[in-house]
Amino acid sequence: MKRALISDIHGNLEGLQAVLADIETVGVDEIYCLGDIIGYGPNPCECLDLVMRHAKVTILGNHDQAALFDPDGFNPMALQAIYWTRDQLDNGPGNAAQVNKRWDFLGELPRLVDEGEFKFVHGSPRDPTNEYVFPEYVFDTRKMEILFGRVEQYCFMGHTHLPGVFTTQCEFIAPEDCDHRYALGPAKVLVNVGSVGQPRDDNNKSCYVVLDKDAKSIEFRRVEYDIDKTANKIYNTPDLSDALGDRLKHGR
């Protein structure tokens, strides 16, 4: 069975559409979304609709949570974007039933999905919604021991927008360091699947992972999309900072 793992879409409709089109070419059986469908980007409603239609499982991200409750720890740019996103969710597009369906979907999202051998979170195995696991954390041996202590075998996550594999040997293996493929062996690993809608690893292409459960392997896939189209939507939205459009072009 092949499963596509997408995360951190952040209202980027063009990025999501391109990734869904790529998923159709690789024989994927199902899609899991690891959160942050909304926030930052110009098309939160449309992205929610696509995820509701295509994803078998979706997990709550911190921006999804912030749309539902008081945002915690958001910088001014992110805070302004989430307030704008709330307004978009309240006022369409679509009829009242569609608006309510989106809010209901967000309100019912689980914080994690634990399938024993495979665990899926947005943030970390210790704090599924909010904790970041950055590549430099491999130098904090105690922190990594604690995180791996919460994992039975393999844990997949997003949140940092930085794809790669964390090993119990305190290594971080970026996709380009393993030719974008990694074999899942007997050792525990944490896998960040990267970001569909706002990559931050100096590569502006959308990123997602294909998990082959039978072959016990993962593939990091990068997908081009119309960045200028998304950025221009942001530039034309007064309540979204121009910096959110600029960063898409640079992938950081």
Side-chain angles (χ1 to χ4, degrees), residues 42 44-45 83-93 99 102 237:
C45 297
Y83 288 146
W84 177 85
T85 297
R86 283 182 181 176
D87 184 69
Q88 296 301 299
L89 293 175
D90 277 336
N91 296 294
V99 170
R102 293 178 190 125
T237 304

Side-chain angles (χ1 to χ4, degrees), residues 3-236:
R3 179 180 291 167
L5 307 178
I6 63 176
S7 191
D8 296 277
I9 299 161
H10 285 297
N12 186 333
L13 180 60
E14 288 70 34
L16 179 57
Q17 288 173 328
V19 164
L20 290 174
D22 190 72
I23 287 172
E24 289 184 359
T25 71
V26 293
V28 164
D29 300 289
E30 57 193 21
I31 299 172
Y32 276 27
C33 176
L34 307 189
D36 275 5
I37 306 164
I38 58 177
Y40 294 134
N43 292 106
C45 297
E46 294 85 353
C47 288
L48 272 169
D49 292 344
L50 283 176
V51 170
M52 286 190 289
R53 189 179 312 144
H54 292 282
K56 179 181 179 180
V57 169
T58 302
I59 291 168
L60 182 74
N62 63 308
H63 283 255
D64 308 319
Q65 178 175 263
L68 294 163
F69 308 105
D70 289 336
D72 182 29
F74 277 43
N75 63 50
M77 183 169 64
L79 191 62
Q80 182 184 32
I82 207 66
Y83 288 146
W84 177 85
T85 297
R86 283 182 181 176
D87 184 69
Q88 296 301 299
L89 293 175
D90 277 336
N91 296 294
N95 57 35
Q98 290 172 296
V99 170
N100 290 335
K101 185 177 180 180
R102 293 178 190 125
W103 279 117
D104 289 344
F105 176 76
L106 287 173
E108 295 169 0
L109 293 179
R111 295 180 69 242
L112 63 89
V113 170
D114 193 339
E115 299 175 352
E117 186 179 23
F118 298 94
K119 177 178 280 190
F120 303 91
V121 300
H122 178 68
S124 85
R126 177 168 60 177
D127 180 346
T129 306
N130 292 301
E131 183 177 23
Y132 291 94
V133 185
F134 288 107
E136 58 266 29
Y137 286 4
V138 296
F139 299 110
D140 187 337
T141 304
R142 180 57 184 153
K143 181 185 288 288
M144 296 307 297
E145 286 177 352
I146 292 170
L147 294 176
F148 275 110
R150 302 293 184 95
V151 177
E152 182 176 319
Q153 191 71 53
Y154 313 121
C155 182
F156 297 88
M157 56 200 184
H159 200 29
T160 67
H161 304 207
L162 300 170
V165 179
F166 296 84
T167 73
T168 53
Q169 285 75 44
C170 288
E171 301 172 299
F172 177 76
I173 303 170
E176 56 270 20
D177 296 331
C178 59
D179 197 26
H180 295 86
R181 295 178 181 270
Y182 188 86
L184 300 173
K188 296 180 180 183
V189 292
L190 310 177
V191 179
N192 193 298
V193 304
S195 173
V196 168
Q198 197 188 87
R200 296 180 185 171
D201 61 338
D202 295 319
N203 182 337
N204 61 16
K205 296 179 183 178
S206 294
C207 184
Y208 76 101
V209 159
V210 174
L211 164 64
D212 189 325
K213 296 181 68 177
D214 298 323
K216 288 290 183 70
S217 66
I218 59 172
E219 178 188 5
F220 294 93
R221 294 184 66 83
R222 304 305 293 239
V223 182
E224 292 184 348
Y225 72 95
D226 192 342
I227 293 174
D228 287 336
K229 184 174 181 180
T230 307
N232 286 334
K233 289 180 185 178
I234 293 172
Y235 299 150
N236 291 323

